[in-house]
Amino acid sequence: MGMLCAVSFNRYGRLFYLDPGDLRPAVGDKVLVPTEDGTEVAECVWAPQWVDEETDGFPRVAGLATDQDLHRDEVQRKRKAEAKVAAKRLIRDHGLPMKVVAVDHVLEPGTLNSARATIYFTAPHRVDFRSLVRDLGATLHCRVELRQLSARDSARVQGGIGSCGRDLCCATFLTDFEPVTIRMAKDQDLPLNPLRISGACGRLMCCLKYEHPLYADSANYPTSGQRVETDQGTAKVVSRHPPSETVTVRQISDGAVKRCALSEVCGPRQAYEKRDA
């Protein structure tokens, strides 16, 4: 049991959880977060709270950001913007089918000089960008790396709003992409319209994986179109809802549609109740 706080490097960006140690930053405070390239400035979006989980494996906040740290962070963000503009211009000049997604800029420790710029991009196929790297290095005066992202990784980096109206799962809490298949949509009786089941990345939505185990274990549910007996007579199953253990039926007599509990239309349950009666 220990304390954890959450920070974000960008407003409304992905949350990272850290052990505050002896510090108690408030929401909105700027803190230093240890990374592979040294400490970086992040904003505290969730004040330290006690949690039931073990916190030994979480990184620890390196301290509160000073004015010097804030100035360095501002310079670094400015260099990122400049590198992004330069990359887009040179890509257009070279006529390459690339789209810049994000830029990561690193300064040399203890100075404001550029050390390395990593440019993330998407492309429909492999691209020969050797001449582009040379021109970028001469323009930015630092070592330049280009990394091609997949469609899902691109959506994670850019962020956005999903069809549910919330921030994309991949940009907030998902750490790994699990395989998602069209079979999952079929098992959940979802329309197989690509516009309905595809996410911002153009691939199948990751959330199809969330409720699929409930549908995979729903062998005792009546299938769509099957006739069942309800308290109002014979009805035909329209759809099923394993998360709430209910089914939607349409009455044969008057065409009325209603949602019933699974126990009310399940054959084995009805036979059991009749036997006890």
Side-chain angles (χ1 to χ4, degrees), residues 5 44 48 57 89 96 102 104 121 130 142 180 225 236 240 248 257 267 273:
C5 66
C44 179
R89 177 177 56 81
L96 297 174
D104 189 15
F121 70 94
R130 287 174 293 184
C142 65
V180 182
K236 183 180 292 186
R240 53 191 180 137
T248 299
V257 177
E273 292 177 351

Side-chain angles (χ1 to χ4, degrees), residues 143-158:
R143 184 163 58 92
V144 177
E145 297 179 6
L146 270 73
R147 297 183 183 178
Q148 186 170 353
L149 299 180
S150 64
R152 292 188 185 274
D153 287 326
S154 175
R156 167 187 286 180
V157 172
Q158 296 182 93

Side-chain angles (χ1 to χ4, degrees), residues 186-199:
K186 292 181 179 180
D187 291 343
Q188 299 176 55
D189 299 327
L190 295 174
L192 302 183
N193 184 347
L195 297 178
R196 299 283 300 277
I197 59 177
S198 298

Side-chain angles (χ1 to χ4, degrees), residues 83-125:
K84 191 171 186 178
V85 172
K88 288 183 177 181
R89 177 177 56 81
L90 289 173
I91 287 174
R92 184 173 60 253
D93 294 342
H94 283 262
L96 297 174
M98 301 166 57
K99 178 183 177 181
V100 178
V101 176
V103 175
D104 189 15
H105 200 282
V106 178
L107 300 177
E108 293 182 0
T111 69
L112 298 179
N113 298 324
S114 300
R116 184 181 74 252
T118 304
I119 299 174
Y120 302 91
F121 70 94
T122 58
H125 50 75

Side-chain angles (χ1 to χ4, degrees), residues 122-143:
T122 58
H125 50 75
R126 293 182 62 88
V127 179
D128 185 4
F129 48 72
R130 287 174 293 184
S131 59
L132 175 63
V133 171
R134 290 194 296 268
D135 290 347
L136 282 172
T139 302
L140 301 178
H141 306 289
C142 65
R143 184 163 58 92

Side-chain angles (χ1 to χ4, degrees), residues 2-221:
M3 299 191 75
L4 287 179
C5 66
V7 302
S8 176
F9 292 98
N10 300 297
R11 182 62 59 90
Y12 307 119
R14 187 175 179 181
L15 299 182
F16 295 87
Y17 296 91
L18 295 91
D19 180 359
D22 298 330
L23 300 175
R24 296 297 180 267
V27 174
D29 288 349
K30 302 293 185 178
V31 298
L32 297 178
V33 179
T35 67
E36 295 179 355
D37 299 313
T39 57
E40 294 189 18
V41 177
E43 181 180 354
C44 179
V45 296
W46 179 35
Q49 295 184 10
W50 290 100
V51 295
D52 296 333
E53 302 176 4
E54 292 293 335
T55 59
D56 295 339
F58 288 87
R60 177 167 293 192
V61 175
L64 295 177
T66 63
D67 292 340
Q68 183 178 359
D69 296 323
L70 295 177
H71 175 65
R72 180 182 174 85
D73 181 66
E74 183 180 353
V75 172
Q76 189 167 344
R77 292 179 183 274
K78 183 179 179 181
R79 299 282 175 82
K80 286 182 181 181
E82 294 173 348
K84 191 171 186 178
V85 172
K88 288 183 177 181
R89 177 177 56 81
L90 289 173
I91 287 174
R92 184 173 60 253
D93 294 342
H94 283 262
L96 297 174
M98 301 166 57
K99 178 183 177 181
V100 178
V101 176
V103 175
D104 189 15
H105 200 282
V106 178
L107 300 177
E108 293 182 0
T111 69
L112 298 179
N113 298 324
S114 300
R116 184 181 74 252
T118 304
I119 299 174
Y120 302 91
F121 70 94
T122 58
H125 50 75
R126 293 182 62 88
V127 179
D128 185 4
F129 48 72
R130 287 174 293 184
S131 59
L132 175 63
V133 171
R134 290 194 296 268
D135 290 347
L136 282 172
T139 302
L140 301 178
H141 306 289
C142 65
R143 184 163 58 92
V144 177
E145 297 179 6
L146 270 73
R147 297 183 183 178
Q148 186 170 353
L149 299 180
S150 64
R152 292 188 185 274
D153 287 326
S154 175
R156 167 187 286 180
V157 172
Q158 296 182 93
I161 303 297
S163 57
C164 59
R166 301 175 65 91
D167 292 334
L168 297 179
C169 298
C170 58
T172 50
F173 65 89
L174 279 184
T175 56
D176 298 316
F177 293 122
E178 298 184 7
V180 182
T181 64
I182 195 68
R183 183 66 191 176
M184 296 180 181
K186 292 181 179 180
D187 291 343
Q188 299 176 55
D189 299 327
L190 295 174
L192 302 183
N193 184 347
L195 297 178
R196 299 283 300 277
I197 59 177
S198 298
C201 59
R203 305 292 191 269
L204 292 175
M205 293 189 296
C206 295
C207 55
L208 294 178
K209 180 76 174 178
Y210 299 163
E211 296 180 356
H212 181 256
L214 295 176
Y215 287 85
D217 296 336
S218 59
N220 59 331
Y221 279 75

